[in-house]
Amino acid sequence: HEVRELSITLFPERQNNKQTNKRETTVESRREITRSNMSTVKLHYFDAYARGDVLRLMLHYADISFEDEKYTFQKWAKVKQSGDFEFEQMPMLEIDEKKLVHGRAIANYIASKKGWLPETPEEIYLDSWYWDTIFDLYDKVYTEILFGPTEEEQAKAKKRFLDEMLPVFLPTLEKSLIESGAKTSGYLVGNKLTPAMFLLISFVDIVFLYVNRKEEYYPVIMQYAPELIHWIEAQKTEKFSNYFGNEKKRPIRPY
């Protein structure tokens, strides 16, 4: 019954319009009807804890069955110019014949299907503010620190990130979280899940909590935003343990 509700809510256009007598339909036959009408969902992204991980988190939290097609850099180089990927970019989410691109657009698509979009103008602004702020940090991490042209440039970018960006960005993020009442409500924007909450938790987990970065980065966030990190660790346990607590559901390489 739970799976059937999910398929109806997320992909109503795929449901069979045939009327069924509920009294005569067994539990197993209802399951068969559901399985036959479920959409095929496939996420294309690197085998990495990176920008696409927020979409994995959203899909898992929504209990949506999907194929997680993970790419190495070598595999991606072979298919990038195949014509299957708009703008030659990932992530891409396939839903039957539809191909959705751009991480934020996909996140909003999933959120709109699940009732996770912010509602008031103030909530829309705040959700977008978080998204843009976090991606300013993401761009620094993934454009300069990890994939800078030389090791020297990467080291310089990392120093600027730790010494200049984080002391400004982290207290600002924490202040917004406190002022919005998230510590009481348990939600980053308003009183429900929104795309920015998935993104913030995914980003902080990838950059500050993953085992091969935690020793260096965790003290920084503890110094500048202790209430922020404690709140995120609590949300991971209370709301998202099914994802973060199961490495089989997560990709391989923690970029």
Side-chain angles (χ1 to χ4, degrees), residues 71 76-86 88 99:
Y71 291 76
W76 172 237
K78 292 178 181 179
V79 300
K80 181 178 180 180
Q81 297 180 333
S82 64
D84 291 333
F85 296 85
E86 194 171 54
E88 298 180 2
K99 293 184 178 182

Side-chain angles (χ1 to χ4, degrees), residues 1 3-4 20-37:
H1 180 68
V3 177
R4 185 168 185 270
T20 304
N21 187 327
K22 293 183 179 179
R23 293 182 179 178
E24 296 179 358
T25 304
T26 65
V27 172
E28 183 57 33
S29 65
R30 286 199 297 270
R31 288 174 178 168
E32 290 298 329
I33 291 170
T34 299
R35 283 194 289 266
S36 67
N37 290 313

Side-chain angles (χ1 to χ4, degrees), residues 86-213:
E86 194 171 54
F87 305 116
E88 298 180 2
Q89 294 179 356
M90 294 192 294
M92 179 175 75
L93 185 68
E94 283 190 87
I95 303 173
D96 295 330
E97 301 301 319
K98 298 177 183 177
K99 293 184 178 182
L100 311 181
V101 298
H102 291 317
R104 186 173 185 180
I106 297 170
N108 284 340
Y109 178 86
I110 297 170
S112 70
K113 294 290 187 178
K114 297 301 297 178
W116 293 339
L117 286 177
E119 298 175 10
T120 68
E122 292 75 18
E123 290 173 355
I124 293 169
Y125 166 77
L126 185 58
D127 199 75
S128 299
W129 179 88
Y130 275 112
W131 197 280
D132 290 344
T133 300
I134 293 165
F135 263 82
D136 282 346
L137 294 170
Y138 253 135
D139 286 341
K140 178 65 68 174
V141 174
Y142 286 99
T143 303
E144 299 183 25
I145 297 176
L146 291 175
F147 301 112
T150 66
E151 290 186 3
E152 182 180 359
E153 288 298 317
Q154 292 172 17
K156 289 180 179 179
K158 183 177 180 180
K159 181 173 175 56
R160 288 195 299 270
F161 182 70
L162 291 171
D163 296 346
E164 299 175 19
M165 289 191 73
L166 292 184
V168 174
F169 277 71
L170 290 178
T172 305
L173 284 167
E174 182 178 74
K175 179 182 177 184
S176 178
L177 180 140
I178 294 170
E179 291 180 347
S180 69
K183 292 180 65 178
T184 302
S185 69
Y187 296 102
L188 190 64
V189 177
N191 291 303
K192 66 176 185 179
L193 290 165
T194 63
M197 181 165 174
F198 288 100
L199 179 65
L200 178 63
I201 290 172
S202 175
F203 170 76
V204 170
D205 179 74
I206 290 167
V207 175
F208 297 96
L209 298 179
Y210 190 75
V211 62
N212 69 339
R213 293 199 190 101

